[in-house]
């Protein structure tokens, strides 16, 4: 049966409701949120990365390189015809392939690179994110092996696969397109990924049972694609929708969020309080709205098992939402561990490239070290050798403050907000720059992270408050009366500021953006200080208590 719609690989990792909206003729003129500058920059960076890898491979391949024309003046049909001609001619490497449309399967799409393997082709993605971590077990081959050797690689003793399900599902989509066109290599379905480092290809066995339940990547892809195809076909036919709006994490960056938000708010949908699967299971037992959830007895037997939060918390949070409360106390008395000498820490990184700034705010008892904010920063574009110097200076200063406190018989504690990011770069920096002056051994970092001297304030907020609009620092610090100087303050925007600050895109470094980043980082550590100071004060008792709701 021929499908009435053709879908690309992106649908299998996309919200079902978004797939519906994209194929509903009635939504053709509906307003969409514009692509944010950070998202646009990510796309531009990905394009630049692919072009860099393509240039390296083309130089190595010589006459074995075939590049499919692109550009605004080249239609998809022309690209498809050029790809088909290259495959029929047995081209060794085909860059920018646009594969023949699979009308029976409802598929369309392309791939960065197709590599000839025997009587067919193997797909290779080029992505701008990390695809391996330190470890062992990944099957890799050097990038230049694509030019003359068969795909497949060897077991790498120094790299393990970093889970990137989206990559494997995209490869599975192309594998199905190759099979439909008669150009898939025989044997086990295989696909490769070139990551941000651009030095190796990581090979995935798409027929291996590496997914939950012993499923293969192709199994998972087939299930998801069939579902999304049914959703799209129903939308195109103006039939009963197979996907209703429901708030999930993806919503915050979705261009269709204005449409869904209006519908969800108008219906006071339960997903405005509980997300994802919890909203689904509540709807199954007839709890469709925030009002219905709020009316339940939090002490009674739950009508459904929730995974995102305890059922009593969900009921109380619904009641808080109806009262337009940002947060309420879960506990009668809020407590935060304090110390004589305190340091608030906030790190700024640029994607996976590195951590360029460690900001610290020293407060508490006098230990002979000036109180206030200080920044340990490198303005060399990441990744760079100078990152080791700034990290070492940060660690040396933090260690000195701890030692000074101990010598005076004073307690010490350092605070951050959501330690996942800081811990990641504390460990990664110690590992990457091991042996350089001032850089701690990784064991030292691990002991610090595990000690009482390092405290994650996010965990304290999570355990002692229910937050109706999220637990991010930008959301909860205003409860303590704190506000950021920059109205655009945020981690995503800071990426854009950083590019200008280090002249990543050419030209001269923008020193005003450097000042902006330093002020943003300083406000982050001061926000942490203000939040825990408020949590330790009687003023926090003014926040409603959950039991009273």
């Amino acid at each position: 049966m021929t499908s009435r719609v053709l879908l690309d690989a992106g649908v299998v990792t996309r919200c079902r409701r978004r797939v519906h909206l994209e194929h509903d003729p009635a939504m053709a003129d509906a307003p969409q949120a514009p692509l944010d500058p950070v998202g646009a920059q990510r796309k531009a960076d990905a394009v630049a990365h692919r072009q860099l890898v393509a240039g390296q491979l083309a130089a190595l391949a010589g006459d074995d390189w075939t590049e499919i024309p692109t550009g605004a003046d080249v239609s998809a049909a022309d690209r498809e015809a050029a790809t088909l001609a290259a495959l029929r001619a047995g081209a060794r490497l085909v860059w920018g392939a646009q594969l023949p449309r699979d009308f029976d399967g409802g598929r369309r799409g392309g791939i960065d690179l197709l590599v000839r393997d025997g009587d067919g082709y193997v797909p290779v993605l080029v992505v701008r994110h990390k695809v391996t971590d330190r470890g062992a077990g990944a099957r890799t081959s050097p990038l230049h092996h694509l030019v003359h050797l068969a795909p497949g690689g060897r077991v790498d003793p120094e790299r393990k696969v970093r889970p990137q399900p989206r990559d494997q599902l995209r490869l599975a989509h192309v594998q199905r397109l190759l099979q439909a066109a008669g150009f898939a290599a025989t044997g086990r379905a295989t696909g490769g990924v070139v990551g941000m480092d651009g030095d190796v290809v990581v090979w995935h066995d798409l027929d291996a049972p590496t997914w939950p339940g012993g499923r293969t990547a192709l199994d998972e892809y087939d299930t998801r694609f069939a579902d999304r195809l049914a959703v799209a076909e129903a939308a195109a036919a103006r039939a009963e929708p197979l996907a209703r709006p429901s708030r999930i994490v993806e919503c915050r960056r979705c261009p269709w969020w204005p449409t869904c938000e209006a519908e969800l708010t108008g219906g006071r949908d339960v997903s405005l309080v509980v997300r994802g699967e919890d909203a689904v299971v509540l709807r199954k037992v007839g709890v469709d709205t925030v009002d219905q959830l709020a009316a339940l007895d939090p002490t009674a037997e739950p009508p459904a098992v929730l995974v995102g939060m305890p059922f009593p918390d969900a009921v109380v949070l619904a009641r808080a939402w109806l009262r337009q409360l940002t947060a309420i106390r879960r506990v009668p008395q809020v407590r935060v561990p304090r110390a004589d000498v305190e340091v608030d820490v906030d790190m700024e990184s640029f994607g996976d490239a590195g951590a360029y700034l460690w900001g610290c705010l020293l407060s508490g008892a006098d230990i002979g070290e000036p109180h206030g904010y200080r920044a340990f920063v490198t303005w060399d574009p990441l990744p760079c050798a100078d990152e080791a110097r700034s990290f070492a200076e940060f660690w040396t200063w933090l260690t000195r403050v701890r030692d000074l406190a101990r010598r005076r018989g004073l307690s010490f504690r350092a605070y951050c907000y959501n330690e996942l990011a800081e811990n990641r770069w504390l460990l990664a920096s110690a590992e990457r720059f091991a042996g350089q002056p001032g850089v701690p051994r990784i064991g030292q970092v691990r002991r610090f992270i595990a000690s009482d001297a390092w405290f994650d304030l996010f965990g304290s907020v999570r355990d002692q408050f229910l937050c109706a609009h999220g637990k991010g620092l930008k959301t909860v610090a205003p409860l303590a009366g704190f506000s950021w100087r920059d109205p655009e303050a945020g981690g995503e925007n800071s990426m854009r500021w950083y590019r200008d600050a280090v002249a990543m895109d050419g030209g001269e470094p923008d020193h005003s953006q450097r000042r902006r980043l330093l002020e943003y980082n300083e406000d982050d550590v001061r926000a942490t200080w203000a939040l825990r100071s408020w949590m330790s004060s009687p003023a926090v008792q003014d926040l409603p208590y959950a039991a009273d709701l």
Side-chain angles (χ1 to χ4, degrees), residues 515-527:
R515 289 191 296 273
R516 190 178 196 181
L517 285 166
L518 291 171
E519 286 185 358
Y520 162 63
N521 181 261
E522 180 180 359
D523 281 354
D524 272 359
V525 292
R526 291 192 180 279

Side-chain angles (χ1 to χ4, degrees), residues 280-303:
V280 173
V281 298
L282 283 172
R283 291 192 194 101
K284 287 181 179 178
V285 296
V287 182
D288 297 304
T289 68
V290 178
D291 304 75
Q292 290 171 325
L293 179 58
L296 297 177
D297 182 355
T299 65
E301 184 71 20

